[in-house]
Amino acid sequence: MRVRHALTIPAFPFKPLAFSFTTADEVLQKCNSLNKVKILHQQLTVKGLTTTYPTELPKLVGMYISCDAPSHALAILSRLHPSPSCVFWWNSLIRRAVRLHLLHQALELYHSMQSLGWRPDGYTFPFLLKACGELPSFRRGASLHGVVCILGYVNNVFVGNALVAMYGRCGDLVGARQVFEEMIHSGIADVISWNSIVASYMQSGDSKKAVQMFYWMTTYGEGENRFCPDAVSLVNILPAFASVLACMQGKEAHAYALRTQLIEDLFVGNAIVDMYAKCGLMDDAHKVFDRMQVKDVVSWNAMVTGHSQIGRFEDALGLFQKMREEKIELNVVTWSAVIAGYAQRGHGYEALDVFRQMLVSGSEPNVITLVSLLSGCACVGTVLQGKEIHCYAIKQILNIRNNDPGDEQMVINSLIDMYAKCKAVDLAHKIFDSVDRYNRNVVTWTVMIGGYSQHGEANDALELFSDMLKQNDCKPTMPNAFTISCALMACARLAALRLGRQIHAYVIRNRYESDELFVDNCLIDMYVKSGDLDVARIVFDNMNQTNVVSWTSLMTGYGMHGRGVEALQLFNGMRNSGLPIDGVTFVVVLYACSHSGLVDQGLNYFDAMTREFGIVPGVEHYACMVDLLGRAGQLEKAMELIRGMPMEPSPIVWVALLGSCRVHTNVELGEYASRKLLEIGCENDGTYTLLSNIYANASRWKDVARIRYSMKGSGIKKRPGCSWVQGKTGTATFYVGDKTHPLSEEIYMILADLIHRIKAIGYVPDTSFALHDVDDEEKGDLLVEHSEKLALAYGILTTAPGVAIRITKNLRVCGDCHTAIIYISKIIEHEIILRDSSRFHHFKDGCCSCKGYW
């Protein structure tokens, strides 16, 4: 109660009037808490002094605002008569709401102000426009712009700058640019105006335009009227230089900061370090970082992130440890950079360990953290930990009110990608389906299409790609270069040439200039694996730019199609172009020699690897050489090469030897190779099938039965042979003895006629390929029903004369079928292009492109 007595108004001798004002001012100044202000307000009201001395009321408004009681301040303002001098208090309330990010409340205050007859001034609109930009609300911002024009504040530089910023944040760059140019024309623009328009372009992701505007700023005007960039200008433009990798322009900005001493500004210093780091110039970044007298966690984060992004992860980890040693508070950016670094290097478990440390430290993960962590889970295929991160995302980010929809979509896309790469494609598709079509962006579609393409569901991938382009209730999503590459990958897996050509036509209509090289490389791969090598060469020859992938993709194609000489010519062209030759290139070269029987050339290139190029042969190179010698029948030399290997032979080496033993019926060596495969745990249907074929060729039927019994005991099932062929209306699939197709009767009639005709010109069924202990006549009947023969008969039935028939088989083509198709190619008007699990066979006029090396 002593406080109440100390503030009692009757103690004031309100005569004369001037004395009462002075006393009231003194009391007002002593009211330093909300309770005291309320008591004073009460006493003034009780004594009727609020009407006698109305000038005291605005002071009460200010006191309520300073005591953070806006509702009391608003109650007084609502009863005041509108006057220009008191608009200041409305501005104060609006500014407070914007500062506290109570953006809707700021706009409601403006509407209350208008409804009570108050007229906003030039200081009101910048706060309101800032609220519209941060919401963002283009409609409200444009409405305020209209009021600005009506009230005559268009030439107010503060209002103009706020309008530029508002339009930029709302994504209306045309409106922002129009207001800016009107300010330039009227001569009221200042440095903040230029900074605002540059920031607008940066926020929209148009770094090139931001750079153009910055250089216009530095050249606009003459003498004293020329604008000089300030600290904000540099902080705005340096990220733009980094995003377009304009390191020379970045160095110019650095030099300007040194001349003007703006380098001493912490924000400028951090921006320069970040610019060098994002341009990959970590040595320059280190120099700036070391010379900074004041550093904060942002400075350190720029260095850690920079090292991580260019692959110098050991340096990034060293800085991270140094931050911990120096007790620098780690924030979410620091932790995320280290997690991302581990994920990029394929160390998913280490990324998870750092994430656990992050949670223990009390730091809250953000969207970038979770996206990086999910990438780490994907790279090691740990779906269990991926599910744990999914649960965390549901609790902390997904379906939370007021969350940024863009952030949510990033996490959802990463979840789809993680599940797809962990081979849980069904879970990935469930998440994909849970996203409303209208909310799916190009990344959402791409990760799902890519998941199907990479894990053998190529048909689903192409169906989804087609669905993506459909015009449904909402506008179709335009695929980007990565989407196109995933679709082309699916076409390559299926050898779906027709669909691949359609996608190629789409690429031509919608040029992907920034990613042209990437898309062209995928087109080469698609045409190569779909059997149209000549078009692949045309794509290659018309490329504006090539890289190592372009050359090796086409070389691989020549090898797959048995055109080894052309592959070696291309290799020489690659050498002459100055592109680096590495171990992968030599794998392709040796593969091409192997599939074309170029034994001497293969041996020479294998020797030249170390002698001329300094490349140490790896296990893949030895496997190619074993395959090369084995296909040529030089099995003993192949075995000598294996014995001389400086490393333990891997499964691919023994599989290459086992396949050669199958071709040349070497039972003893085949048994040895199969034992080695079983010793190293390579127990699959391919190993057993090859050995069973070897025994069958040697008529060792008891051993064939023993192999089948072993497979049954181990739970291993032989993959059924399957062939598919492209018809007029789609692709038809056939299995051994398949009679499910609607045209089965016609197919078997055509096939019987073909077999009868080719027998007349010398074809004799090779019954060793009928792996059953039955008589030769019955074996011949079994051979007729092989899937590749059925596919060929369907192709002849549905394909116009002269058009190539394209067949794909999931396993290696049967030897008897290979011989039969050579004979059939003599009597039909089609080229037959058959792709099996090993290579391509082009049958025409009684010849095959493999020349027996298959």
Side-chain angles (χ1 to χ4, degrees):
M1 296 301 294
R2 280 178 290 180
V3 173
R4 181 179 292 276
H5 289 308
L7 294 172
T8 303
I9 296 300
F12 298 163
F14 281 97
K15 295 178 183 180
L17 187 61
F19 177 74
S20 63
F21 274 129
T22 305
T23 308
D25 285 341
E26 290 174 356
V27 174
L28 286 167
Q29 290 172 7
K30 292 179 181 179
C31 292
N32 53 10
S33 71
L34 179 59
N35 282 336
K36 290 180 181 180
V37 177
K38 285 181 177 180
I39 292 169
L40 176 60
H41 187 188
Q42 181 186 44
Q43 293 296 323
L44 287 171
T45 304
V46 169
K47 298 298 180 181
L49 298 177
T50 55
T51 55
T52 309
Y53 306 115
T55 56
E56 301 302 312
L57 287 178
K59 297 177 183 177
L60 277 172
V61 173
M63 296 190 71
Y64 275 127
I65 292 174
S66 65
C67 292
D68 200 27
S71 59
H72 293 81
L74 183 59
I76 296 174
L77 277 174
S78 300
R79 293 196 294 272
L80 285 178
H81 184 73
S83 64
S85 61
C86 290
V87 172
F88 170 81
W89 301 113
W90 284 100
N91 293 344
S92 298
L93 284 172
I94 293 170
R95 177 178 57 192
R96 173 191 171 278
V98 174
R99 188 182 71 248
L100 297 175
H101 208 69
L102 303 171
L103 307 176
H104 289 288
Q105 187 183 106
L107 295 171
E108 287 170 6
L109 283 168
Y110 166 68
H111 292 307
S112 298
M113 178 185 182
Q114 279 191 314
S115 64
L116 293 169
W118 292 77
R119 178 189 172 99
D121 62 15
Y123 299 98
T124 313
F125 290 106
F127 301 127
L128 294 171
L129 290 166
K130 184 178 181 182
C132 293
E134 290 185 5
L135 276 171
S137 176
F138 172 78
R139 181 179 57 82
R140 294 176 183 178
S143 177
L144 283 172
H145 190 180
V147 178
V148 165
C149 294
I150 292 169
L151 297 182
Y153 291 113
V154 287
N155 289 325
N156 184 308
V157 66
F158 302 110
V159 175
N161 291 341
L163 280 167
V164 173
M166 181 275 295
Y167 279 122
R169 286 176 178 167
C170 291
D172 182 13
L173 294 180
V174 175
R177 184 64 179 264
Q178 184 177 345
V179 174
F180 172 76
E181 290 186 352
E182 287 172 359
M183 292 176 71
I184 291 287
H185 183 71
S186 58
I188 64 168
D190 59 7
V191 174
I192 298 173
S193 313
W194 287 95
N195 292 344
S196 298
I197 191 66
V198 170
S200 296
Y201 282 115
M202 281 301 295
Q203 289 161 7
S204 71
D206 193 347
S207 300
K208 291 182 179 179
K209 203 69 176 179
V211 171
Q212 291 174 8
M213 292 303 297
F214 178 77
Y215 278 108
W216 184 21
M217 170 187 176
T218 58
T219 58
Y220 186 82
E222 296 179 358
E224 295 180 356
N225 294 324
R226 175 164 289 184
F227 293 100
C228 295
D230 59 8
V232 176
S233 309
L234 294 181
V235 171
N236 276 343
I237 201 60
L238 284 164
F241 290 144
S243 67
V244 296
L245 300 179
C247 52
M248 289 307 298
Q249 289 88 336
K251 288 182 177 181
E252 290 174 359
H254 182 190
Y256 176 83
L258 288 169
R259 289 197 309 272
T260 57
Q261 297 185 338
L262 290 173
I263 191 71
E264 296 175 6
D265 185 292
L266 176 62
F267 296 103
V268 174
N270 287 343
I272 292 172
V273 171
D274 184 64
M275 179 273 298
Y276 281 127
K278 287 178 178 172
C279 288
L281 303 174
M282 289 310 300
D283 293 336
D284 293 310
H286 258 295
K287 290 176 184 177
V288 178
F289 178 78
D290 292 339
R291 291 172 185 169
M292 289 175 67
Q293 295 181 357
V294 179
K295 302 183 184 75
D296 62 3
V297 68
V298 176
S299 321
W300 288 88
N301 286 346
M303 294 298 295
V304 173
T305 306
H307 280 303
S308 181
Q309 287 175 342
I310 65 170
R312 287 164 56 171
F313 188 62
E314 297 304 324
D315 293 330
L317 203 57
L319 281 169
F320 176 69
Q321 297 298 344
K322 190 174 181 181
M323 290 177 73
R324 304 184 82 170
E325 291 167 6
E326 297 188 11
K327 308 296 183 185
I328 296 169
E329 184 178 357
L330 307 177
N331 63 13
V332 65
V333 178
T334 323
W335 291 104
S336 299
V338 176
I339 290 170
Y342 274 124
Q344 288 165 7
R345 289 165 64 90
H347 300 321
Y349 292 109
E350 289 82 352
L352 287 164
D353 185 53
V354 174
F355 178 67
R356 294 186 189 99
Q357 296 176 42
M358 177 183 182
L359 294 179
V360 170
S361 73
S363 186
E364 285 289 329
N366 62 11
V367 171
I368 303 301
T369 319
L370 295 183
V371 168
S372 300
L373 201 57
L374 288 167
S375 174
C377 292
C379 69
V380 293
T382 172
V383 71
L384 182 61
Q385 283 81 357
K387 287 180 177 179
E388 292 175 358
I389 303 303
H390 188 178
C391 291
Y392 182 89
I394 291 172
K395 294 175 184 176
Q396 301 295 328
I397 293 179
L398 302 178
N399 304 317
I400 304 297
R401 288 185 63 187
N402 300 323
N403 264 359
D404 184 349
D407 287 349
E408 284 200 11
Q409 196 59 46
M410 279 180 63
V411 174
I412 289 170
N413 293 344
S414 298
L415 284 167
I416 295 171
D417 184 58
M418 181 274 296
Y419 280 123
K421 288 178 178 174
C422 291
K423 300 182 181 179
V425 182
D426 290 343
L427 289 175
H429 195 79
K430 283 181 180 178
I431 298 174
F432 177 83
D433 283 341
S434 71
V435 181
D436 185 75
R437 185 184 180 95
Y438 182 81
N439 293 326
R440 294 173 191 165
N441 59 24
V442 66
V443 179
T444 316
W445 289 94
T446 302
V447 292
M448 193 65 248
I449 293 169
Y452 279 133
S453 297
Q454 291 166 1
H455 297 294
E457 305 292 342
N459 283 310
D460 291 327
L462 293 173
E463 185 177 340
L464 201 61
F465 180 71
S466 176
D467 187 36
M468 176 184 182
L469 298 176
K470 285 179 182 175
Q471 180 82 43
N472 291 330
D473 295 335
C474 54
K475 185 179 179 181
T477 306
M478 294 294 290
N480 60 20
F482 296 102
T483 324
I484 295 293
S485 72
C486 292
L488 289 171
M489 186 194 309
C491 291
R493 282 183 178 273
L494 294 173
L497 183 61
R498 183 183 293 112
L499 286 172
R501 284 170 174 167
Q502 291 173 4
I503 294 172
H504 190 180
Y506 181 90
V507 169
I508 292 171
R509 293 195 305 270
N510 305 273
R511 289 308 302 172
Y512 290 84
E513 294 180 0
S514 58
D515 299 294
E516 187 175 4
L517 175 61
F518 181 67
V519 173
D520 283 346
N521 286 342
C522 292
L523 282 168
I524 291 173
D525 181 67
M526 182 276 296
Y527 278 117
V528 160
K529 292 176 180 176
S530 297
D532 204 336
L533 188 57
D534 293 334
V535 175
R537 183 59 192 248
I538 291 170
V539 173
F540 178 83
D541 289 339
N542 285 281
M543 289 174 69
N544 295 321
Q545 179 188 1
T546 57
N547 61 7
V548 173
V549 177
S550 318
W551 290 82
T552 53
S553 295
L554 190 58
M555 268 193 284
T556 302
Y558 280 126
M560 289 175 68
H561 290 262
R563 293 160 66 171
V565 174
E566 289 167 272
L568 298 183
Q569 290 173 351
L570 196 66
F571 173 71
N572 291 329
M574 183 178 176
R575 290 179 66 180
N576 296 332
S577 72
L579 286 169
I581 306 295
D582 58 13
V584 176
T585 313
F586 271 101
V587 168
V588 174
V589 169
L590 296 176
Y591 171 88
C593 292
S594 171
H595 282 69
S596 300
L598 303 175
V599 179
D600 293 337
Q601 293 92 323
L603 290 169
N604 290 335
Y605 279 114
F606 184 73
D607 180 57
M609 278 181 65
T610 306
R611 189 182 70 252
E612 293 183 30
F613 296 89
I615 298 171
V616 178
V619 68
E620 298 86 357
H621 303 100
Y622 280 99
C624 286
M625 292 305 297
V626 169
D627 191 53
L628 171 69
L629 295 169
R631 286 175 190 271
Q634 301 180 27
L635 295 174
E636 290 303 322
K637 286 187 178 180
M639 198 61 224
E640 287 177 20
L641 186 68
I642 293 173
R643 293 191 189 102
M645 286 176 64
M647 74 285 289
E648 282 295 318
S650 69
I652 58 171
V653 175
W654 295 115
V655 168
L657 182 64
L658 186 59
S660 299
C661 293
R662 159 72 180 86
V663 173
H664 299 287
T665 320
N666 191 320
V667 178
E668 183 181 352
L669 202 53
E671 288 178 327
Y672 178 75
S674 65
R675 282 198 304 272
K676 286 294 184 180
L677 282 168
L678 295 175
E679 284 175 12
I680 58 180
C682 187
E683 193 173 9
N684 56 44
D685 67 320
T687 304
Y688 285 110
T689 301
L690 281 171
L691 186 58
S692 177
N693 290 344
I694 293 172
Y695 285 139
N697 283 350
S699 298
R700 291 171 55 171
W701 300 111
K702 289 184 179 179
D703 288 316
V704 171
R706 178 174 55 81
I707 292 295
R708 289 180 177 174
Y709 182 78
S710 298
M711 289 178 69
K712 187 175 181 180
S714 303
I716 298 171
K717 293 183 179 180
K718 181 182 179 297
R719 283 174 295 167
C722 173
S723 300
W724 56 95
V725 60
Q726 296 178 23
K728 284 183 179 180
T729 57
T731 301
T733 304
F734 297 92
Y735 292 90
V736 177
D738 197 339
K739 295 182 180 180
T740 60
H741 196 278
L743 299 177
S744 287
E745 188 175 341
E746 293 94 327
I747 290 170
Y748 277 91
M749 286 177 61
I750 288 177
L751 192 53
D753 179 62
L754 289 171
I755 297 299
H756 176 73
R757 290 169 64 189
I758 61 177
K759 281 183 177 179
I761 58 174
Y763 164 68
V764 178
D766 189 345
T767 55
S768 66
F769 288 96
L771 305 182
H772 299 274
D773 189 11
V774 294
D775 60 51
D776 285 350
E777 184 178 348
E778 191 173 346
K779 285 182 180 180
D781 293 338
L782 292 171
L783 290 172
V784 171
E785 297 180 348
H786 280 192
S787 64
E788 50 266 61
K789 288 192 179 84
L790 296 175
L792 175 57
Y794 174 80
I796 295 170
L797 182 65
T798 59
T799 306
V803 177
I805 298 173
R806 301 177 185 276
I807 302 170
T808 305
K809 186 175 181 182
N810 64 331
L811 305 176
R812 184 174 165 137
V813 64
C814 157
D816 175 72
C817 292
H818 187 271
T819 303
I821 295 172
I822 288 176
Y823 277 98
I824 291 170
S825 69
K826 288 183 177 182
I827 61 173
I828 62 173
E829 299 177 12
H830 301 276
E831 179 185 4
I832 304 161
I833 302 171
L834 191 152
R835 168 184 161 184
D836 67 8
S837 60
S838 175
R839 59 170 299 146
F840 274 90
H841 302 264
H842 292 253
F843 300 93
K844 192 172 184 179
D845 298 329
C847 297
C848 179
S849 60
C850 71
K851 299 173 185 175
Y853 291 97
W854 61 281

